[in-house]
């Protein structure tokens, strides 16, 4: 870990300004990912702007009938929130499928969206990694790739996004509210928030430097049966090989967001339209452009089986 | 004392203290955080500095140069010591690869430098500033590719064995199996990483470390440093898990010693978790071919087992065929081990070396063979039991109750309810049960101890024996209490210090039986000294209730001790009872699994182990050993694999996020039953090892249960869902 300066921001605008002013500054909230990465010198910020004191830790109803979740709401609190449990069960289940109780107590809503890949080559600074060290190459593509992405991949990177929560947010059509250093703010639909790796896998979201997430907003509840199914090699405390966040309506239509298969939560409205022709058809469209490696080909089968099972079970 | 005749009745047989479920005597220290582990040792008089190890970034080659300028200028840095600075060193007797010193890189993350600073954080930050230039060389990293060039290993006992005419018997057998099994490299992944504190006073070195074998470490550290062994005082009173990973001197101790010398201060060094997998030793991967031929009635006529593994030059094979020489009858037998050269980190012992991976393969093969014979796998094993060494029928087992374990286990587990493969479903899961035999040889090691009786009636036992979480403190206290006829709270146990008599240490499941036998021997001496002091006849003297009795005379022990106290010291050595009789431990593992019908995720539903391991010295600590081993077996079956990057030559998943050991949620209800038995050939304690027995066969029982659940036979561990999914039913 490199030495860094540490400041506590007292307002959202001040936080955004402080980070915007320095190219090598970062926000810190829960720190459950950032601090680990700093210890390994994968992240090397010179300044940390602590946003924990900002009053962004509330969950409130929106006039539209949705829910505004403050950026600093801890994962534990979000998962346990009555409205979330009642109307957005998928989100609660996804949160509880992730990490451990201790980590969820600390991890925040915005931080969870921004956690970085768990690719083991990304974590080993002796190895080439285009995400950690742009232009150095990707060791995973021809290396150990069992856990890596199968869709939306590029020749530069096959890393996955590890978040469970983000899968639920994607399925629930969340939007992300931000404030920038110049004082302007914007609302970003989660579908536009994450980037595919392309040639620039080190740029993971559309956020600008100094742009701070203030809230994640859920639209009014969509009802249906809400399922989060996470598949992993051990029963707990592991990242998903594949996870599916689904909303299944009684007429057989629904939504499907998939984790563990791409650089971002993977969802296709086109695929969902195919649900009318059966879940098998929907899964096929969802994974149509899959480019798996020999080691992670099973993920494609797994997605197809899981989609079929989730929609069949829900109908039955 | 030499143990060369089977034990007869002795004071241990009273079982007033030994054999009882005595809670750990060090339990309170551990649960209150007062047991000081290596890195936590703290003397307020000492001004500790912190050393951060730097691991090699390449798998093979040479260090061309190391630029330490930036690191030395970094805040708080006191010293930087590089592998070039200390130069090539004489290697420790038990090390295959160089631990530190010289320009040769033999494996990834081999230590190339240690940075010493006032704080841990400063040392770690400066460590990243050390610039190393390498001249990389090509290496061999893929066992499958290197197998063709594998050779008959030197030095290992009997790489090849043959009895009768295996090839012919196998060719003639009406029912045969010929299958290849694979076990991956595994990491010890103990909770406490390797850690040491070194402090020099002139030429004398004191080192607190985490070592299973005090004397081996002490000797090898002295050799590596080029100093006299007598100059090294080594202590390891508490160890946060070892599993064989702390049998041999490792880099933390060597780096701490060099760093402390360079900094002129005591230095603490712990291996960062990402270094543990590649910097230290691991259980080597194996490829095993097993051939079994049997008569239609189920009698094995031919059994052959070949194993290939790899290691660095000068290394050794994984002894994966060992159990096959002894476990089942059969007139025609053959085993062979071949060793390939691999430039991966050093392969070495991990809990039940040999038998653990060997049983992972053999006990699937037995299950497959039973199926071919249309026999119940429990009955097939029982039919082929042997009470003698199959290679030397004149040599009996000292005690062998595999059949009893299988029968009792089957009854308790409800084995007879087992159905045909892929026929039982519950709640979206395919349910199956599996069985495997457990087998691990009983090893004996010389072990010494010193027992002192004080004037207040307190008894202190000192031995360099270690407690790696196994319960050594407790069973040694029980042994002393039994031998001297006192309550256990009158006994103080001091372990893990090179000033104490050299013991067996902990490893190879020899620690419990060997070290308590050493303590037994020392107590025999102390009893004689007490009797002599009192003028009692040693033949009829009885130690009981804190008193010594002979005829109608009875004297409190404290009085016998006198003001100066009395000391008994001895070392138990072993005659040839393990040559005339095969000493092994036995068991049976039963497992029920559920395999998710959609995803292929396997979750264990229940586990039962029945163990026949001689006298159980403490059923509480022994049970903990066995359930821990069953948990390790669950990891071996389902998730644990050090993944080799065969281009770059290292284990990729080198942290606890990537190397998945079981978590609580993976482990269901576990039952352990110990057979009530003694083995008078093993020692005066009549005990045998149990800590490794509990692991041997577990993974195969799980594999067999998965087969019973799904009808998919996987011979390639770990059995992850990607290996099952192609054979699962279609999802409607």
């Amino acid at each position: 870990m490199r030495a860094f300066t540490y400041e506590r921001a007292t307002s959202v605008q001040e936080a955004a300004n402080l980070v915007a002013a320095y190219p090598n500054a970062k926000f810190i909230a829960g720190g459950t990912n950032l601090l680990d990465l700093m210890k390994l010198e994968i992240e090397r910020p010179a300044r940390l702007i602590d946003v924990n004191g900002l009053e962004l830790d509330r969950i409130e109803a929106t006039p539209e009938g949705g829910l505004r979740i403050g950026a600093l709401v801890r994962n534990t609190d979000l998962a346990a929130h009555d409205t979330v449990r009642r109307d957005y069960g998928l989100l609660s289940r996804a949160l509880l499928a992730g990490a451990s109780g201790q980590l969820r107590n600390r991890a925040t809503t915005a931080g969870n969206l921004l956690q970085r890949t768990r690719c083991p080559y990304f974590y080993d600074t002796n190895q080439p990694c285009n995400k950690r060290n742009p232009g150095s190459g990707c060791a995973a593509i021809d290396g150990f790739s069992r856990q890596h992405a199968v869709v939306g991949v590029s020749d530069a990177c096959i890393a996955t996004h590890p978040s469970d929560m983000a899968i639920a947010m994607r399925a629930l059509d969340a939007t992300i509210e931000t404030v920038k250093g110049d004082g302007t703010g914007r609302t970003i639909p989660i579908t536009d928030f994450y980037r595919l790796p392309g040639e620039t896998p080190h740029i993971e979201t559309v956020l600008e430097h100094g742009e701070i997430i203030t809230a994640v907003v859920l639209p009014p509840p969509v009802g249906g049966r809400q399922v989060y199914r996470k598949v992993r090699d051990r029963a707990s405390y592991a990242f998903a090989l594949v996870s599916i966040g689904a909303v299944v309506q009684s007429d057989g239509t629904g939504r499907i967001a998939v984790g563990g298969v791409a650089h971002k939560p993977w969802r296709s409205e086109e695929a969902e339209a195919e649900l009318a022709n059966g879940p098998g058809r929907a899964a096929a469209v969802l994974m149509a452009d899959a480019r798996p490696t020999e080691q992670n080909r099973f993920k494609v089968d797994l997605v197809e089986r899981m989609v079929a099972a989730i929609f069949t079970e829900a109908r039955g | 004392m030499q143990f060369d005749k089977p034990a007869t009745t002795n004071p241990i047989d009273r079982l007033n203290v030994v054999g009882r479920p005595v809670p750990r005597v060090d339990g309170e220290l551990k649960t209150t955080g007062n047991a000081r582990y290596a890195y936590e040792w703290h003397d307020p008089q000492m001004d500790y500095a912190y050393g951060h190890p730097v691991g090699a970034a390449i798998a093979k080659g040479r260090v061309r140069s190391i630029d330490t300028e930036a690191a030395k200028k970094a805040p708080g840095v006191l010293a930087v010591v590089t592998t070039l600075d200390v130069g090539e060193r004489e290697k420790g007797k038990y090390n295959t690869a160089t631990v530190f010193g010289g320009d040769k890189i033999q494996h990834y993350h081999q230590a190339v430098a240690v940075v010493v600073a006032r704080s841990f954080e400063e040392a770690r930050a400066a460590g990243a500033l050390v610039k190393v230039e390498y001249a990389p060389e090509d290496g061999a990293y893929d066992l499958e590719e290197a197998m063709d060039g594998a050779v008959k290993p030197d030095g290992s006992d009997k790489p090849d064995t043959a009895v009768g005419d295996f090839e012919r018997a196998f060719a003639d057998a009406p029912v045969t199996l010929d299958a290849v099994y694979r076990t991956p490299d595994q990491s010890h992944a103990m909770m406490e990483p390797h850690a040491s504190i070194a402090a020099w006073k002139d030429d004398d070195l004191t080192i607190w470390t985490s070592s299973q074998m005090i004397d081996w470490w002490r000797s090898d550290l002295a050799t590596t440093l080029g100093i006299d062994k007598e100059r090294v005082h080594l202590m390891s009173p508490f160890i946060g898990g070892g599993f064989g990973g702390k049998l041999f001197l490792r880099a933390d101790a060597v780096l701490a010693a060099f760093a402390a010398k360079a900094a002129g201060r005591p230095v603490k060094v712990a291996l960062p978790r990402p270094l543990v997998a590649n910097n230290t030793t691991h259980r080597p991967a194996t490829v095993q071919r097993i051939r079994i031929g049997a008569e239609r009635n189920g009698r094995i006529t031919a059994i052959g087992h070949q194993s290939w593994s790899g290691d660095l030059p000068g290394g050794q094979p994984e002894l994966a065929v060992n159990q096959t020489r002894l476990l089942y009858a059969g007139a025609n037998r053959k085993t062979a081990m071949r060793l390939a050269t691999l430039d991966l980190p050093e392969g070495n012992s991990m809990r039940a070396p040999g038998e653990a991976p060997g049983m992972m393969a053999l006990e699937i093969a037995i299950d497959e063979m039973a199926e071919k014979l249309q026999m119940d796998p429990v009955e097939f094993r029982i039919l082929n039991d042997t009470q003698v060494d199959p290679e030397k029928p004149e040599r009996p087992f000292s005690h062998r109750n595999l059949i009893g374990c299988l029968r009792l286990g089957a009854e308790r587990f409800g084995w007879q309810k087992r159905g045909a493969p892929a026929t039982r479903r519950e709640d979206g899961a395919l349910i199956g049960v599996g069985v495997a035999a457990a087998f691990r040889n009983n090893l004996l090691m010389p072990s010494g101890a010193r027992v002192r009786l004080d004037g207040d009636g307190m008894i202190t036992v000192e031995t360099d024996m270690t407690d790696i979480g196994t319960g050594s403190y407790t069973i040694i206290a029980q042994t002393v209490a039994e031998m001297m006829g006192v309550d256990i709270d009158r006994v103080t146990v001091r372990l893990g210090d090179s000033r104490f008599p050299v013991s067996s240490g902990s490893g190879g499941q020899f620690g419990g039986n060997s070290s308590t036998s050493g303590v037994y021997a020392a107590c025999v001496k102390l009893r004689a000294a007490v009797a002599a002091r009192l003028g009692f006849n040693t033949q009829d003297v009885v130690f009981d209730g804190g008193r010594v009795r002979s005829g109608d005379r009875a004297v409190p022990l404290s009085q016998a001790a006198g003001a100066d106290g009395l000391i008994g010291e001895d070392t138990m050595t072993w005659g040839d009872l393990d040559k005339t009789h095969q000493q092994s431990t036995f068991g049976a593992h039963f497992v029920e699994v559920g395999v998710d019908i959609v995803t292929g995720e396997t979750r264990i539903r229940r586990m039962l182990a029945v163990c026949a391991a001689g006298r159980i010295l403490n059923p509480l600590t022994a049970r903990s050993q066995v359930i821990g081993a069953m948990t390790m077996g669950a990891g071996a079956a389902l998730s644990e694999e050090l993944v080799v990057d065969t281009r770059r030559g290292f284990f990729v998943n080198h942290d606890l996020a990537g190397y998945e050991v079981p978590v609580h949620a993976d482990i269901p209800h576990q039952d352990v039953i110990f057979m009530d038995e003694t083995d008078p050939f093993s020692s005066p304690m009549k005990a045998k090892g149990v800590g490794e027995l509990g692991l041997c066969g577990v993974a195969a029982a799980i594999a067999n249960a998965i087969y019973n659940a799904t009808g998919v036979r996987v011979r390639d561990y770990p059995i992850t869902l990607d290996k099952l999914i192609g054979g699962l039913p279609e999802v409607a």
Side-chain angles (χ1 to χ4, degrees), chain A residues 105-256:
Chain A
N105 285 342
R106 190 73 197 142
T108 64
T109 305
N112 189 316
L113 290 176
L114 295 175
Q115 62 181 301
R116 307 202 65 192
T117 187
R118 306 293 164 150
C119 171
Y121 297 99
F122 174 73
Y123 267 79
D124 188 333
T125 51
N126 292 327
Q127 302 301 326
C129 172
N130 287 321
K131 188 181 276 296
R132 174 170 32 78
N133 185 10
S136 62
C138 172
I141 288 174
D142 296 319
F144 174 44
S145 59
R146 178 172 180 266
Q147 285 160 317
H148 288 71
V150 294
V151 280
V153 296
S154 73
D155 292 337
C157 183
I158 57 169
T160 57
H161 194 274
S163 170
D164 291 297
M165 185 196 79
I167 306 306
M169 293 294 194
R170 178 70 182 88
L172 295 169
D173 279 333
T175 53
I176 293 151
E177 295 184 346
T178 70
V179 169
K180 297 188 200 179
D182 65 7
T184 63
R186 57 174 170 160
T187 296
I188 311 166
I190 191 168
T191 182
D192 299 330
F193 182 74
Y194 292 109
R195 295 164 49 110
L196 286 177
E199 293 303 304
T200 54
H202 58 292
I203 306 173
E204 293 166 353
T205 69
V206 299
L207 289 179
E208 293 168 19
H209 183 66
E211 185 172 7
I212 182 171
I213 297 173
T214 54
V216 177
V217 179
L218 292 174
V222 292
R225 185 170 159 182
Q226 303 198 357
V227 181
Y228 189 73
R229 182 73 171 90
K230 180 175 181 178
V231 176
R232 40 190 162 178
D233 290 323
R234 63 181 170 194
S236 178
Y237 207 60
F239 293 96
L241 292 168
V242 168
S243 67
I244 293 190
V247 179
V248 188
Q249 303 295 355
S250 51
D251 62 2
T253 63
R255 302 178 181 187
I256 311 162

Side-chain angles (χ1 to χ4, degrees), chain B residues 404-481:
Chain B
C405 295
L406 287 162
R407 289 233 188 275
L408 181 62
E411 182 198 319
R412 294 289 175 88
F413 190 77
W415 179 252
Q416 66 283 2
K417 286 186 228 146
R418 185 182 77 120
T423 54
R424 193 174 149 207
R425 290 189 190 190
E426 274 175 37
D427 301 331
L430 299 165
I431 311 298
V433 293
V435 64
F439 173 90
R440 170 70 170 143
N441 279 329
N442 184 55
L443 307 176
L444 302 166
M445 292 279 278
S447 198
R450 181 164 57 227
V451 191
R452 191 180 69 243
L453 171 66
D454 287 333
D456 56 3
M458 294 297 292
I459 303 173
T460 304
V461 54
E462 294 174 332
T463 162
D464 86 353
M465 178 60 186
T466 49
D467 189 327
I468 56 175
T470 41
S472 307
Y473 278 103
T474 309
I475 58 171
I476 286 172
Q478 289 174 271
T479 303
V480 173

Side-chain angles (χ1 to χ4, degrees), chain A residues 1 39 41 120-121 124 126-128 139 142-144 146 229 231-236 238 298 302 305 309 312, chain B residues 57 108 124-125 128 596-599 601 603 643 645 647-648 650 654 660-661 666 720-722 725 728-729 732:
Chain A
M1 187 185 273
K39 289 171 188 172
E41 301 218 356
Y121 297 99
D124 188 333
N126 292 327
Q127 302 301 326
D142 296 319
F144 174 44
R146 178 172 180 266
R229 182 73 171 90
V231 176
R232 40 190 162 178
D233 290 323
R234 63 181 170 194
S236 178
F298 72 95
L302 199 49
R305 294 177 69 87
T312 310
Chain B
Y108 194 69
R124 185 175 57 190
D596 189 289
I597 203 162
V598 174
T599 66
E601 292 165 286
R603 301 289 180 244
V643 177
D645 185 317
R647 301 154 312 151
R648 296 168 193 280
F650 74 112
H654 50 58
E660 291 189 10
V661 299
D666 290 303
T720 45
L721 59 96
D722 40 314
I725 199 163
L728 296 179

Side-chain angles (χ1 to χ4, degrees), chain B residues 485-496:
Chain B
V486 298
D487 289 341
I488 199 164
D489 60 7
R490 311 299 285 169
V491 181
T492 301
V493 182
R494 301 181 66 196
L495 301 182

Side-chain angles (χ1 to χ4, degrees), chain B residues 87-415:
Chain B
E88 207 165 311
R89 294 271 149 179
E90 191 181 339
K91 213 169 53 188
K93 180 180 165 192
Y94 295 98
N95 294 130
T96 302
T98 299
V99 172
F100 188 58
D103 68 344
K104 197 170 160 192
I105 299 300
Q106 289 182 282
H107 61 87
Y108 194 69
H109 277 169
Q110 179 181 318
V112 292
V114 56
V115 178
V116 191
R118 291 170 312 192
S119 73
F120 170 77
E121 289 76 12
E122 287 168 325
R124 185 175 57 190
L129 300 174
V130 174
K131 295 278 171 288
V132 186
E133 279 210 41
Y134 301 96
E137 293 165 19
D138 289 338
Y141 310 114
D142 187 340
L143 177 60
E144 302 280 339
E145 274 182 19
M147 270 171 67
D148 287 343
V151 298
K152 195 189 283 195
D154 297 332
S156 85
D157 56 324
K158 300 209 182 168
D160 288 352
T161 66
V163 174
D165 185 345
F166 168 80
E167 298 293 346
R168 178 158 187 177
F170 183 72
D172 291 347
V175 182
T176 59
L177 169 86
D178 182 351
V180 175
Y181 304 84
R182 288 176 172 79
T183 64
D185 297 284
Q186 293 178 338
S187 181
H188 305 87
M190 68 293 279
M191 288 248 278
E192 179 202 27
H194 304 72
S196 295
I197 303 175
W200 291 90
K201 192 175 177 196
D202 302 324
D203 292 331
D204 290 314
L205 173 65
T206 302
I207 188 146
W208 292 266
T209 190
S210 186
S211 160
Q212 298 176 228
M213 305 294 288
I214 301 297
D215 196 55
W216 292 2
W217 278 63
R218 187 186 186 209
S219 301
D220 275 359
L221 182 58
T223 301
T224 307
L225 297 174
I227 62 173
D228 185 13
K229 181 177 172 180
E230 297 308 313
R231 295 275 182 205
V232 180
H233 175 205
L234 190 140
M235 283 173 277
S236 183
F238 294 103
I239 295 136
F243 310 118
K246 295 171 180 171
L247 286 169
F248 316 111
L249 175 71
R250 295 309 319 162
D252 55 301
V254 176
L255 295 178
F258 281 118
K261 196 75 161 174
R265 292 163 62 162
V267 172
K268 297 186 171 199
V269 175
L271 293 189
R273 182 61 70 178
L275 251 64
V276 172
N278 287 282
N279 179 277
T280 74
T281 60
H282 66 280
R283 189 200 299 284
T286 66
V287 177
Q288 302 178 46
R289 181 186 183 196
I290 295 179
R291 285 177 289 170
I292 302 174
E295 300 291 348
R296 291 202 192 282
N297 64 11
R299 286 201 189 280
I300 293 172
T301 53
I303 184 162
H305 193 160
Q306 294 157 276
S307 174
W308 290 261
S309 60
D311 203 355
L312 288 163
Q316 52 200 326
E318 181 67 25
L319 307 175
V321 304
N322 266 5
Q323 71 291 320
T324 307
R325 297 174 57 191
L326 291 161
L327 189 49
Y328 297 111
N332 303 285
R333 325 177 62 86
K334 179 174 162 176
T335 67
M337 288 182 283
R338 292 294 177 268
L339 179 61
T341 298
L342 289 181
D343 298 296
L344 290 170
E346 175 179 340
N348 218 316
S349 297
M350 180 167 144
R351 199 174 194 172
E355 281 98 327
M359 293 292 281
M360 286 168 78
L362 177 65
E363 288 298 291
I364 296 182
I366 292 292
D367 198 66
E368 294 196 68
M369 200 58 198
E371 187 179 38
K372 282 173 183 272
L373 290 158
Q374 297 178 300
M375 285 183 74
D376 182 304
V378 169
E379 297 306 323
F380 179 53
R381 287 178 173 89
I382 289 171
L383 180 70
N384 288 289
D385 186 60
T386 173
Q387 292 295 314
V388 296
D389 176 349
E391 291 177 6
K392 295 180 190 142
E394 70 283 6
R395 182 171 176 260
F397 281 92
S398 60
H399 188 79
R400 170 169 168 139
N401 193 11
L402 174 61
I403 292 176
C405 295
L406 287 162
R407 289 233 188 275
L408 181 62
E411 182 198 319
R412 294 289 175 88
F413 190 77
W415 179 252

